[in-house]
Amino acid sequence: GESVGLHLPTLSVQEGDNSIINCAYSNSASDYFIWYKQESGKGPQFIIDIRSNMDKRQGQRVTVLLNKTVKHLSLQIAATQPGDSAVYFCAESGSARQLTFGSGTQLTVLP
Amino acid sequence: NAGVTQTPKFQVLKTGQSMTLQCAQDMNHNSMYWYRQDPGMGLRLIYYSASEGTTDKGEVPNGYNVSRLNKREFSLRLESAAPSQTSVYFCASSEYRGRSNEKLFFGSGTQLSVL
């Protein structure tokens, strides 16, 4: 079956720096990708999504990049703030499959 | 702005006991989902309901049953709880009828411990 994984389980960045969280997927038929943020004790919160007909999408302080050639997805957070500290999950779906979630990256913002 | 509401927030069961986790959404969404989250793992789909009156198995359905009571409510039942079902359970909803390429809205979770 397909898998969704993250390159690093933890990431620490200085406040004000940019953060990049990476995600790899294995199913070439995946056509929808999404990032969630989960703070401690809370449910996942939608950040941004992208479909396979795009390679970049921007939101407020966040950008998602999709490289279908190498099956790689990244989330960039500009000017990282203490409130960005959380676990970030990528997920993918396609061909009528429900979303498959990765195991998450813990982002810690250092003062 | 309630969104997706889950009850209870915490529950401790003994092995063999049964219980039902409740979920309700007020966004008029068609589809609802139950996930479990274990340490170091991503969310895994237990069951989902693409629309009122339908339910389908997800990745890890064994030991669970669901009921789509109406458009708003989707419950998850553990008939005979086992320690392996210790987990955090999340309910989610989405707007369309089981389309896989749309965002889900999650509740705040139920922490379940089975002793």
Side-chain angles (χ1 to χ4, degrees):
Chain A
E2 74 276 4
S3 66
V4 180
L6 289 153
H7 290 290
L8 293 171
T10 62
L11 176 66
S12 297
V13 298
Q14 292 292 139
E15 182 178 353
D17 287 352
N18 297 336
S19 302
I20 300 176
I21 302 171
N22 296 304
C23 184
Y25 63 96
S26 60
N27 193 326
S28 57
S30 300
D31 60 11
Y32 177 70
F33 306 86
I34 189 168
W35 284 98
Y36 281 92
K37 172 186 179 183
Q38 187 177 24
E39 296 175 280
S40 182
K42 298 184 179 180
Q45 179 183 6
F46 169 79
I47 301 173
I48 193 167
D49 59 1
I50 188 169
R51 301 186 189 281
S52 59
N53 59 352
M54 302 173 69
D55 53 22
K56 179 179 180 179
R57 193 174 186 203
Q58 290 184 288
Q60 187 176 11
R61 279 202 308 117
V62 296
T63 300
V64 56
L65 298 177
L66 175 63
N67 185 329
K68 295 180 287 294
T69 301
V70 296
K71 301 190 187 66
H72 183 268
L73 185 72
S74 68
L75 176 71
Q76 300 179 3
I77 304 173
T80 311
Q81 303 169 358
D84 295 326
S85 291
V87 177
Y88 290 81
F89 293 95
C90 66
E92 57 82 23
S93 69
S95 302
R97 291 180 295 105
Q98 298 298 325
L99 283 170
T100 298
F101 285 81
S103 54
T105 291
Q106 172 71 59
L107 175 65
T108 301
V109 181
L110 305 172
Chain B
N1 283 13
V4 179
T5 303
Q6 294 182 232
T7 56
K9 292 191 180 301
F10 302 94
Q11 184 70 49
V12 179
L13 294 177
K14 294 181 179 179
T15 297
Q17 287 186 318
S18 61
M19 81 158 295
T20 300
L21 280 64
Q22 306 287 352
C23 176
Q25 52 90 11
D26 63 1
M27 296 175 282
N28 200 36
H29 284 173
N30 286 303
S31 300
M32 297 185 74
Y33 308 78
W34 277 105
Y35 284 86
R36 61 177 287 173
Q37 184 176 40
D38 300 299
M41 299 182 71
L43 294 153
R44 292 185 293 169
L45 182 63
I46 304 171
Y47 271 94
Y48 67 101
S49 172
S51 61
E52 187 178 353
T54 69
T55 60
D56 286 284
K57 294 178 180 179
E59 180 186 355
V60 288
N62 291 345
Y64 306 95
N65 286 302
V66 291
S67 295
R68 183 74 184 266
L69 303 171
N70 47 56
K71 190 172 185 178
R72 290 187 63 249
E73 299 173 287
F74 188 39
S75 63
L76 178 71
R77 182 161 178 83
L78 286 70
E79 290 291 351
S80 179
S84 61
Q85 294 178 305
T86 293
S87 189
V88 181
Y89 292 84
F90 289 99
C91 178
S93 70
S94 64
E95 188 171 3
Y96 298 107
R97 295 180 182 274
R99 249 170 52 179
S100 58
N101 56 350
E102 57 169 345
K103 61 188 176 189
L104 306 182
F105 295 82
F106 285 87
S108 58
T110 296
Q111 173 78 59
L112 175 67
S113 295
V114 183
L115 307 178

PDB file of all heavy atoms in Angstrom, chain B residues 33-62:
ATOM      1  N   TYR B  33     -16.464  11.036   9.930  1.00  0.00           N
ATOM      2  CA  TYR B  33     -15.363  10.084  10.022  1.00  0.00           C
ATOM      3  C   TYR B  33     -14.983   9.845  11.482  1.00  0.00           C
ATOM      4  O   TYR B  33     -15.111  10.747  12.315  1.00  0.00           O
ATOM      5  CB  TYR B  33     -14.115  10.635   9.311  1.00  0.00           C
ATOM      6  CG  TYR B  33     -14.350  11.094   7.900  1.00  0.00           C
ATOM      7  CD1 TYR B  33     -14.955  12.319   7.640  1.00  0.00           C
ATOM      8  CD2 TYR B  33     -13.952  10.317   6.827  1.00  0.00           C
ATOM      9  CE1 TYR B  33     -15.175  12.752   6.336  1.00  0.00           C
ATOM     10  CE2 TYR B  33     -14.150  10.737   5.520  1.00  0.00           C
ATOM     11  CZ  TYR B  33     -14.770  11.956   5.289  1.00  0.00           C
ATOM     12  OH  TYR B  33     -14.977  12.376   3.990  1.00  0.00           O
ATOM     13  N   TRP B  34     -14.448   8.656  11.737  1.00  0.00           N
ATOM     14  CA  TRP B  34     -13.806   8.365  13.017  1.00  0.00           C
ATOM     15  C   TRP B  34     -12.371   7.909  12.767  1.00  0.00           C
ATOM     16  O   TRP B  34     -12.136   6.989  11.966  1.00  0.00           O
ATOM     17  CB  TRP B  34     -14.551   7.275  13.791  1.00  0.00           C
ATOM     18  CG  TRP B  34     -15.716   7.789  14.559  1.00  0.00           C
ATOM     19  CD1 TRP B  34     -17.037   7.652  14.260  1.00  0.00           C
ATOM     20  CD2 TRP B  34     -15.668   8.517  15.791  1.00  0.00           C
ATOM     21  NE1 TRP B  34     -17.817   8.262  15.213  1.00  0.00           N
ATOM     22  CE2 TRP B  34     -16.993   8.802  16.164  1.00  0.00           C
ATOM     23  CE3 TRP B  34     -14.629   8.957  16.611  1.00  0.00           C
ATOM     24  CZ2 TRP B  34     -17.313   9.505  17.336  1.00  0.00           C
ATOM     25  CZ3 TRP B  34     -14.951   9.658  17.764  1.00  0.00           C
ATOM     26  CH2 TRP B  34     -16.278   9.921  18.109  1.00  0.00           C
ATOM     27  N   TYR B  35     -11.442   8.583  13.467  1.00  0.00           N
ATOM     28  CA  TYR B  35     -10.024   8.244  13.391  1.00  0.00           C
ATOM     29  C   TYR B  35      -9.529   7.897  14.779  1.00  0.00           C
ATOM     30  O   TYR B  35     -10.060   8.361  15.786  1.00  0.00           O
ATOM     31  CB  TYR B  35      -9.194   9.433  12.896  1.00  0.00           C
ATOM     32  CG  TYR B  35      -9.289   9.712  11.420  1.00  0.00           C
ATOM     33  CD1 TYR B  35     -10.306  10.506  10.905  1.00  0.00           C
ATOM     34  CD2 TYR B  35      -8.348   9.198  10.535  1.00  0.00           C
ATOM     35  CE1 TYR B  35     -10.386  10.778   9.547  1.00  0.00           C
ATOM     36  CE2 TYR B  35      -8.413   9.457   9.175  1.00  0.00           C
ATOM     37  CZ  TYR B  35      -9.441  10.257   8.685  1.00  0.00           C
ATOM     38  OH  TYR B  35      -9.507  10.522   7.338  1.00  0.00           O
ATOM     39  N   ARG B  36      -8.446   7.127  14.823  1.00  0.00           N
ATOM     40  CA  ARG B  36      -7.724   6.959  16.064  1.00  0.00           C
ATOM     41  C   ARG B  36      -6.283   7.418  15.860  1.00  0.00           C
ATOM     42  O   ARG B  36      -5.737   7.344  14.743  1.00  0.00           O
ATOM     43  CB  ARG B  36      -7.761   5.504  16.563  1.00  0.00           C
ATOM     44  CG  ARG B  36      -7.147   4.474  15.662  1.00  0.00           C
ATOM     45  CD  ARG B  36      -7.187   3.082  16.313  1.00  0.00           C
ATOM     46  NE  ARG B  36      -6.229   2.961  17.410  1.00  0.00           N
ATOM     47  CZ  ARG B  36      -6.148   1.930  18.228  1.00  0.00           C
ATOM     48  NH1 ARG B  36      -6.999   0.902  18.091  1.00  0.00           N
ATOM     49  NH2 ARG B  36      -5.249   1.887  19.199  1.00  0.00           N
ATOM     50  N   GLN B  37      -5.705   7.929  16.946  1.00  0.00           N
ATOM     51  CA  GLN B  37      -4.336   8.448  16.892  1.00  0.00           C
ATOM     52  C   GLN B  37      -3.542   7.821  18.019  1.00  0.00           C
ATOM     53  O   GLN B  37      -3.855   8.003  19.201  1.00  0.00           O
ATOM     54  CB  GLN B  37      -4.317   9.973  17.017  1.00  0.00           C
ATOM     55  CG  GLN B  37      -2.933  10.564  16.876  1.00  0.00           C
ATOM     56  CD  GLN B  37      -2.952  12.074  16.914  1.00  0.00           C
ATOM     57  OE1 GLN B  37      -3.692  12.686  17.684  1.00  0.00           O
ATOM     58  NE2 GLN B  37      -2.144  12.699  16.062  1.00  0.00           N
ATOM     59  N   ASP B  38      -2.497   7.114  17.668  1.00  0.00           N
ATOM     60  CA  ASP B  38      -1.621   6.470  18.633  1.00  0.00           C
ATOM     61  C   ASP B  38      -0.268   7.171  18.623  1.00  0.00           C
ATOM     62  O   ASP B  38       0.133   7.751  17.596  1.00  0.00           O
ATOM     63  CB  ASP B  38      -1.474   4.985  18.297  1.00  0.00           C
ATOM     64  CG  ASP B  38      -2.818   4.275  18.325  1.00  0.00           C
ATOM     65  OD1 ASP B  38      -3.439   4.275  19.405  1.00  0.00           O
ATOM     66  OD2 ASP B  38      -3.256   3.761  17.287  1.00  0.00           O
ATOM     67  N   PRO B  39       0.470   7.137  19.738  1.00  0.00           N
ATOM     68  CA  PRO B  39       1.755   7.845  19.830  1.00  0.00           C
ATOM     69  C   PRO B  39       2.691   7.483  18.686  1.00  0.00           C
ATOM     70  O   PRO B  39       2.879   6.308  18.366  1.00  0.00           O
ATOM     71  CB  PRO B  39       2.301   7.383  21.178  1.00  0.00           C
ATOM     72  CG  PRO B  39       1.095   7.025  21.977  1.00  0.00           C
ATOM     73  CD  PRO B  39       0.126   6.444  20.989  1.00  0.00           C
ATOM     74  N   GLY B  40       3.258   8.520  18.061  1.00  0.00           N
ATOM     75  CA  GLY B  40       4.226   8.304  16.991  1.00  0.00           C
ATOM     76  C   GLY B  40       3.633   7.850  15.682  1.00  0.00           C
ATOM     77  O   GLY B  40       4.368   7.541  14.745  1.00  0.00           O
ATOM     78  N   MET B  41       2.303   7.827  15.613  1.00  0.00           N
ATOM     79  CA  MET B  41       1.662   7.386  14.382  1.00  0.00           C
ATOM     80  C   MET B  41       0.703   8.459  13.901  1.00  0.00           C
ATOM     81  O   MET B  41       0.230   9.285  14.651  1.00  0.00           O
ATOM     82  CB  MET B  41       0.911   6.081  14.615  1.00  0.00           C
ATOM     83  CG  MET B  41       1.800   4.932  15.066  1.00  0.00           C
ATOM     84  SD  MET B  41       0.899   3.413  15.276  1.00  0.00           S
ATOM     85  CE  MET B  41       0.544   3.011  13.568  1.00  0.00           C
ATOM     86  N   GLY B  42       0.434   8.403  12.634  1.00  0.00           N
ATOM     87  CA  GLY B  42      -0.553   9.314  12.074  1.00  0.00           C
ATOM     88  C   GLY B  42      -1.966   8.877  12.410  1.00  0.00           C
ATOM     89  O   GLY B  42      -2.187   7.825  13.007  1.00  0.00           O
ATOM     90  N   LEU B  43      -2.901   9.660  12.014  1.00  0.00           N
ATOM     91  CA  LEU B  43      -4.304   9.320  12.198  1.00  0.00           C
ATOM     92  C   LEU B  43      -4.676   8.145  11.289  1.00  0.00           C
ATOM     93  O   LEU B  43      -4.319   8.123  10.116  1.00  0.00           O
ATOM     94  CB  LEU B  43      -5.169  10.529  11.843  1.00  0.00           C
ATOM     95  CG  LEU B  43      -4.997  11.719  12.776  1.00  0.00           C
ATOM     96  CD1 LEU B  43      -5.303  13.012  12.056  1.00  0.00           C
ATOM     97  CD2 LEU B  43      -5.902  11.550  13.982  1.00  0.00           C
ATOM     98  N   ARG B  44      -5.394   7.200  11.843  1.00  0.00           N
ATOM     99  CA  ARG B  44      -5.834   6.037  11.064  1.00  0.00           C
ATOM    100  C   ARG B  44      -7.355   5.983  11.064  1.00  0.00           C
ATOM    101  O   ARG B  44      -7.992   6.092  12.109  1.00  0.00           O
ATOM    102  CB  ARG B  44      -5.246   4.751  11.640  1.00  0.00           C
ATOM    103  CG  ARG B  44      -3.729   4.645  11.462  1.00  0.00           C
ATOM    104  CD  ARG B  44      -3.206   3.298  11.940  1.00  0.00           C
ATOM    105  NE  ARG B  44      -3.334   3.140  13.378  1.00  0.00           N
ATOM    106  CZ  ARG B  44      -3.156   1.995  14.018  1.00  0.00           C
ATOM    107  NH1 ARG B  44      -2.870   0.892  13.343  1.00  0.00           N
ATOM    108  NH2 ARG B  44      -3.264   1.945  15.336  1.00  0.00           N
ATOM    109  N   LEU B  45      -7.904   5.779   9.886  1.00  0.00           N
ATOM    110  CA  LEU B  45      -9.347   5.810   9.709  1.00  0.00           C
ATOM    111  C   LEU B  45      -9.979   4.512  10.193  1.00  0.00           C
ATOM    112  O   LEU B  45      -9.582   3.417   9.782  1.00  0.00           O
ATOM    113  CB  LEU B  45      -9.676   6.049   8.231  1.00  0.00           C
ATOM    114  CG  LEU B  45     -11.145   6.169   7.866  1.00  0.00           C
ATOM    115  CD1 LEU B  45     -11.781   7.379   8.554  1.00  0.00           C
ATOM    116  CD2 LEU B  45     -11.296   6.279   6.351  1.00  0.00           C
ATOM    117  N   ILE B  46     -10.995   4.646  11.045  1.00  0.00           N
ATOM    118  CA  ILE B  46     -11.695   3.484  11.583  1.00  0.00           C
ATOM    119  C   ILE B  46     -12.919   3.186  10.711  1.00  0.00           C
ATOM    120  O   ILE B  46     -13.059   2.113  10.140  1.00  0.00           O
ATOM    121  CB  ILE B  46     -12.124   3.723  13.040  1.00  0.00           C
ATOM    122  CG1 ILE B  46     -10.927   4.099  13.910  1.00  0.00           C
ATOM    123  CG2 ILE B  46     -12.810   2.470  13.605  1.00  0.00           C
ATOM    124  CD1 ILE B  46     -11.315   4.559  15.316  1.00  0.00           C
ATOM    125  N   TYR B  47     -13.806   4.145  10.642  1.00  0.00           N
ATOM    126  CA  TYR B  47     -15.017   4.068   9.830  1.00  0.00           C
ATOM    127  C   TYR B  47     -15.338   5.453   9.310  1.00  0.00           C
ATOM    128  O   TYR B  47     -14.939   6.446   9.898  1.00  0.00           O
ATOM    129  CB  TYR B  47     -16.220   3.597  10.667  1.00  0.00           C
ATOM    130  CG  TYR B  47     -16.441   2.107  10.738  1.00  0.00           C
ATOM    131  CD1 TYR B  47     -15.909   1.367  11.792  1.00  0.00           C
ATOM    132  CD2 TYR B  47     -17.201   1.441   9.783  1.00  0.00           C
ATOM    133  CE1 TYR B  47     -16.125  -0.004  11.886  1.00  0.00           C
ATOM    134  CE2 TYR B  47     -17.434   0.063   9.871  1.00  0.00           C
ATOM    135  CZ  TYR B  47     -16.881  -0.643  10.924  1.00  0.00           C
ATOM    136  OH  TYR B  47     -17.106  -2.001  11.019  1.00  0.00           O
ATOM    137  N   TYR B  48     -16.109   5.482   8.231  1.00  0.00           N
ATOM    138  CA  TYR B  48     -16.618   6.755   7.778  1.00  0.00           C
ATOM    139  C   TYR B  48     -18.030   6.586   7.234  1.00  0.00           C
ATOM    140  O   TYR B  48     -18.467   5.467   6.939  1.00  0.00           O
ATOM    141  CB  TYR B  48     -15.693   7.414   6.746  1.00  0.00           C
ATOM    142  CG  TYR B  48     -15.590   6.695   5.421  1.00  0.00           C
ATOM    143  CD1 TYR B  48     -16.290   7.131   4.305  1.00  0.00           C
ATOM    144  CD2 TYR B  48     -14.723   5.611   5.275  1.00  0.00           C
ATOM    145  CE1 TYR B  48     -16.160   6.497   3.079  1.00  0.00           C
ATOM    146  CE2 TYR B  48     -14.599   4.959   4.053  1.00  0.00           C
ATOM    147  CZ  TYR B  48     -15.313   5.408   2.974  1.00  0.00           C
ATOM    148  OH  TYR B  48     -15.184   4.768   1.761  1.00  0.00           O
ATOM    149  N   SER B  49     -18.699   7.702   7.120  1.00  0.00           N
ATOM    150  CA  SER B  49     -20.058   7.738   6.595  1.00  0.00           C
ATOM    151  C   SER B  49     -20.102   8.816   5.525  1.00  0.00           C
ATOM    152  O   SER B  49     -20.021  10.001   5.836  1.00  0.00           O
ATOM    153  CB  SER B  49     -21.050   8.056   7.710  1.00  0.00           C
ATOM    154  OG  SER B  49     -22.339   8.282   7.173  1.00  0.00           O
ATOM    155  N   ALA B  50     -20.161   8.386   4.279  1.00  0.00           N
ATOM    156  CA  ALA B  50     -20.137   9.353   3.179  1.00  0.00           C
ATOM    157  C   ALA B  50     -21.386  10.229   3.175  1.00  0.00           C
ATOM    158  O   ALA B  50     -21.337  11.390   2.770  1.00  0.00           O
ATOM    159  CB  ALA B  50     -19.988   8.636   1.853  1.00  0.00           C
ATOM    160  N   SER B  51     -22.490   9.672   3.589  1.00  0.00           N
ATOM    161  CA  SER B  51     -23.731  10.435   3.653  1.00  0.00           C
ATOM    162  C   SER B  51     -24.656   9.755   4.654  1.00  0.00           C
ATOM    163  O   SER B  51     -24.418   8.609   5.065  1.00  0.00           O
ATOM    164  CB  SER B  51     -24.393  10.506   2.283  1.00  0.00           C
ATOM    165  OG  SER B  51     -24.707   9.217   1.821  1.00  0.00           O
ATOM    166  N   GLU B  52     -25.696  10.458   5.038  1.00  0.00           N
ATOM    167  CA  GLU B  52     -26.644   9.905   5.991  1.00  0.00           C
ATOM    168  C   GLU B  52     -27.194   8.584   5.455  1.00  0.00           C
ATOM    169  O   GLU B  52     -27.611   8.490   4.307  1.00  0.00           O
ATOM    170  CB  GLU B  52     -27.788  10.912   6.198  1.00  0.00           C
ATOM    171  CG  GLU B  52     -28.749  10.547   7.279  1.00  0.00           C
ATOM    172  CD  GLU B  52     -29.820  11.610   7.453  1.00  0.00           C
ATOM    173  OE1 GLU B  52     -29.723  12.673   6.817  1.00  0.00           O
ATOM    174  OE2 GLU B  52     -30.757  11.356   8.230  1.00  0.00           O
ATOM    175  N   GLY B  53     -27.136   7.539   6.291  1.00  0.00           N
ATOM    176  CA  GLY B  53     -27.655   6.239   5.883  1.00  0.00           C
ATOM    177  C   GLY B  53     -26.611   5.283   5.361  1.00  0.00           C
ATOM    178  O   GLY B  53     -26.909   4.118   5.089  1.00  0.00           O
ATOM    179  N   THR B  54     -25.364   5.754   5.216  1.00  0.00           N
ATOM    180  CA  THR B  54     -24.300   4.869   4.725  1.00  0.00           C
ATOM    181  C   THR B  54     -23.113   4.895   5.677  1.00  0.00           C
ATOM    182  O   THR B  54     -22.804   5.925   6.268  1.00  0.00           O
ATOM    183  CB  THR B  54     -23.813   5.274   3.331  1.00  0.00           C
ATOM    184  OG1 THR B  54     -23.110   6.514   3.429  1.00  0.00           O
ATOM    185  CG2 THR B  54     -24.957   5.427   2.354  1.00  0.00           C
ATOM    186  N   THR B  55     -22.460   3.743   5.819  1.00  0.00           N
ATOM    187  CA  THR B  55     -21.210   3.666   6.573  1.00  0.00           C
ATOM    188  C   THR B  55     -20.270   2.709   5.845  1.00  0.00           C
ATOM    189  O   THR B  55     -20.727   1.758   5.185  1.00  0.00           O
ATOM    190  CB  THR B  55     -21.420   3.171   8.016  1.00  0.00           C
ATOM    191  OG1 THR B  55     -21.992   1.869   7.991  1.00  0.00           O
ATOM    192  CG2 THR B  55     -22.322   4.112   8.798  1.00  0.00           C
ATOM    193  N   ASP B  56     -18.974   2.966   5.981  1.00  0.00           N
ATOM    194  CA  ASP B  56     -17.972   2.116   5.335  1.00  0.00           C
ATOM    195  C   ASP B  56     -16.786   1.938   6.252  1.00  0.00           C
ATOM    196  O   ASP B  56     -16.457   2.832   7.038  1.00  0.00           O
ATOM    197  CB  ASP B  56     -17.495   2.740   4.017  1.00  0.00           C
ATOM    198  CG  ASP B  56     -18.523   2.619   2.930  1.00  0.00           C
ATOM    199  OD1 ASP B  56     -18.666   1.510   2.392  1.00  0.00           O
ATOM    200  OD2 ASP B  56     -19.192   3.630   2.650  1.00  0.00           O
ATOM    201  N   LYS B  57     -16.119   0.778   6.107  1.00  0.00           N
ATOM    202  CA  LYS B  57     -14.942   0.506   6.908  1.00  0.00           C
ATOM    203  C   LYS B  57     -13.758   1.308   6.397  1.00  0.00           C
ATOM    204  O   LYS B  57     -13.612   1.551   5.202  1.00  0.00           O
ATOM    205  CB  LYS B  57     -14.606  -0.981   6.858  1.00  0.00           C
ATOM    206  CG  LYS B  57     -15.655  -1.875   7.503  1.00  0.00           C
ATOM    207  CD  LYS B  57     -15.271  -3.341   7.379  1.00  0.00           C
ATOM    208  CE  LYS B  57     -16.326  -4.224   8.031  1.00  0.00           C
ATOM    209  NZ  LYS B  57     -15.986  -5.671   7.914  1.00  0.00           N
ATOM    210  N   GLY B  58     -12.918   1.678   7.353  1.00  0.00           N
ATOM    211  CA  GLY B  58     -11.664   2.310   7.016  1.00  0.00           C
ATOM    212  C   GLY B  58     -10.517   1.345   7.154  1.00  0.00           C
ATOM    213  O   GLY B  58     -10.671   0.138   6.929  1.00  0.00           O
ATOM    214  N   GLU B  59      -9.390   1.848   7.586  1.00  0.00           N
ATOM    215  CA  GLU B  59      -8.174   1.052   7.673  1.00  0.00           C
ATOM    216  C   GLU B  59      -8.167   0.087   8.851  1.00  0.00           C
ATOM    217  O   GLU B  59      -7.637  -1.021   8.765  1.00  0.00           O
ATOM    218  CB  GLU B  59      -6.968   1.999   7.775  1.00  0.00           C
ATOM    219  CG  GLU B  59      -5.613   1.326   7.875  1.00  0.00           C
ATOM    220  CD  GLU B  59      -4.493   2.339   8.109  1.00  0.00           C
ATOM    221  OE1 GLU B  59      -4.776   3.562   8.091  1.00  0.00           O
ATOM    222  OE2 GLU B  59      -3.349   1.917   8.321  1.00  0.00           O
ATOM    223  N   VAL B  60      -8.765   0.504   9.987  1.00  0.00           N
ATOM    224  CA  VAL B  60      -8.689  -0.292  11.222  1.00  0.00           C
ATOM    225  C   VAL B  60     -10.062  -0.454  11.865  1.00  0.00           C
ATOM    226  O   VAL B  60     -10.294   0.009  12.981  1.00  0.00           O
ATOM    227  CB  VAL B  60      -7.677   0.331  12.214  1.00  0.00           C
ATOM    228  CG1 VAL B  60      -6.257   0.140  11.741  1.00  0.00           C
ATOM    229  CG2 VAL B  60      -7.979   1.817  12.436  1.00  0.00           C
ATOM    230  N   PRO B  61     -11.005  -1.152  11.234  1.00  0.00           N
ATOM    231  CA  PRO B  61     -12.373  -1.222  11.754  1.00  0.00           C
ATOM    232  C   PRO B  61     -12.626  -2.285  12.819  1.00  0.00           C
ATOM    233  O   PRO B  61     -13.654  -2.243  13.509  1.00  0.00           O
ATOM    234  CB  PRO B  61     -13.180  -1.555  10.496  1.00  0.00           C
ATOM    235  CG  PRO B  61     -12.237  -2.394   9.683  1.00  0.00           C
ATOM    236  CD  PRO B  61     -10.873  -1.807   9.934  1.00  0.00           C
ATOM    237  N   ASN B  62     -11.706  -3.237  12.970  1.00  0.00           N
ATOM    238  CA  ASN B  62     -11.972  -4.372  13.855  1.00  0.00           C
ATOM    239  C   ASN B  62     -12.152  -3.934  15.299  1.00  0.00           C
ATOM    240  O   ASN B  62     -11.326  -3.200  15.841  1.00  0.00           O
ATOM    241  CB  ASN B  62     -10.848  -5.396  13.763  1.00  0.00           C
ATOM    242  CG  ASN B  62     -10.840  -6.094  12.418  1.00  0.00           C
ATOM    243  OD1 ASN B  62     -11.816  -6.016  11.669  1.00  0.00           O
ATOM    244  ND2 ASN B  62      -9.747  -6.743  12.093  1.00  0.00           N
TER     245      ASN B  62
END
